[in-house]
Structures are given as structure tokens and as C-alpha cells.
Amino acid sequence: MKITRRFLMAVAISALSGITSLAAQESAAPAPSANRVLINKYCATCHNERLHTAELLLDKADVDDLTKTPQIWEKAIKKLRAGQMPPSGAPRPDKATLTAFTTYLETNLDKAAQANPRSEEHTSEFQSHHDLVCRLL
């Protein structure tokens, strides 16, 4: 069986076009969001899959779709609002950036909760608990 020059050229061109197509797909990947960059710089250095600090994996949590892991972001809001994170001595974003990020988390979690209200069972429990707290105050 004789391999022709044309056949070899066709194989080479096909292989090169596949590599070029793959490279174009890789370079077309979207840049990380500003929130992802912030998380990676200030949070995920400790809260990651390797270290498991506080069992919080912010390197894997989707900061652009908070509905996937709302419990993680609720925990983050509490720590950010209390000034506990990033911890003292660790690099911190400026106050405006930290406030804007925390507001982003709160606003988007609130929107998600309004779009997908809890089941009636949970709602009635919450209202009962809320009523109890109000009576105690």
C-alpha cells in the first residue's frame, strides 16, 4: 500500500486545523469575573480544596451563581460583615471593595430567595419562629 504525498498533506492539514481550532476554543474562554478574582486573591488562598480551612471551599464555589451554594455565601456574609474575614494580618481589599462585594452577595442571595421562596412548610416554621422572637422582644 503506497501512501501518496497528497494523502500525507491532507492528514497534516487536518491535524493542524484541529490544533488551531482547539487553541481558539481555549483562548475564547471567558476571563474570570471581578468577584472570582477577589475570592481567589483574598479568600481561596486559605479556603480551598487543599487546605479545607473551616471546611469552606471557596476555590470551587461559584461566586457568579450564588444559588448553587447559598449556605456558603451566607456564612461568608456573616464573617465579612463582622470584620472577621479576611483575618487580621492577612491581605485585605480596601473597605469600598469589601463593602461592594458583601453587598453583591446579599443582594443576589435576596433576589434568589425571592425568585424561589421556601416551601410552605418552611415558611410557616419561619413565621412561627419570627412571631416567637417578636413576642419575646
Side-chain angles (χ1 to χ4, degrees):
M1 186 163 132
K2 194 175 189 180
I3 300 176
T4 65
R5 185 180 236 179
R6 248 187 208 161
F7 175 75
L8 290 175
M9 287 297 281
V11 169
I13 289 170
S14 176
L16 285 175
S17 67
I19 291 171
T20 304
S21 174
L22 182 60
Q25 288 174 359
E26 287 178 4
S27 67
S33 70
N35 291 324
R36 172 50 51 200
V37 171
L38 182 111
I39 290 288
N40 289 348
K41 183 174 181 179
Y42 297 106
C43 309
T45 53
C46 295
H47 298 286
N48 59 54
E49 193 170 40
R50 189 173 56 81
L51 297 176
H52 284 266
T53 305
E55 297 303 315
L56 194 59
L57 308 181
L58 294 179
D59 60 331
K60 300 296 181 190
D62 189 345
V63 71
D64 299 313
D65 183 359
L66 306 179
T67 62
K68 291 180 181 176
T69 52
Q71 67 284 1
I72 288 176
W73 301 114
E74 290 287 352
K75 186 187 283 190
I77 289 168
K78 288 177 186 172
K79 296 292 186 177
L80 291 168
R81 285 285 180 217
Q84 296 174 331
M85 288 292 141
S88 63
R92 298 176 71 90
D94 61 76
K95 186 170 177 130
T97 301
L98 199 54
T99 299
F101 177 65
T102 306
T103 301
Y104 159 80
L105 293 175
E106 290 171 333
T107 302
N108 284 286
L109 283 173
D110 288 347
K111 284 180 186 175
Q114 289 172 354
N116 298 307
R118 297 177 186 201
S119 71
E120 297 219 5
E121 177 183 322
H122 285 284
T123 303
S124 63
E125 285 176 26
F126 178 79
Q127 287 173 341
S128 298
H129 176 71
H130 177 73
D131 292 342
L132 177 62
V133 170
C134 288
R135 287 184 198 139
L136 292 174
L137 295 175

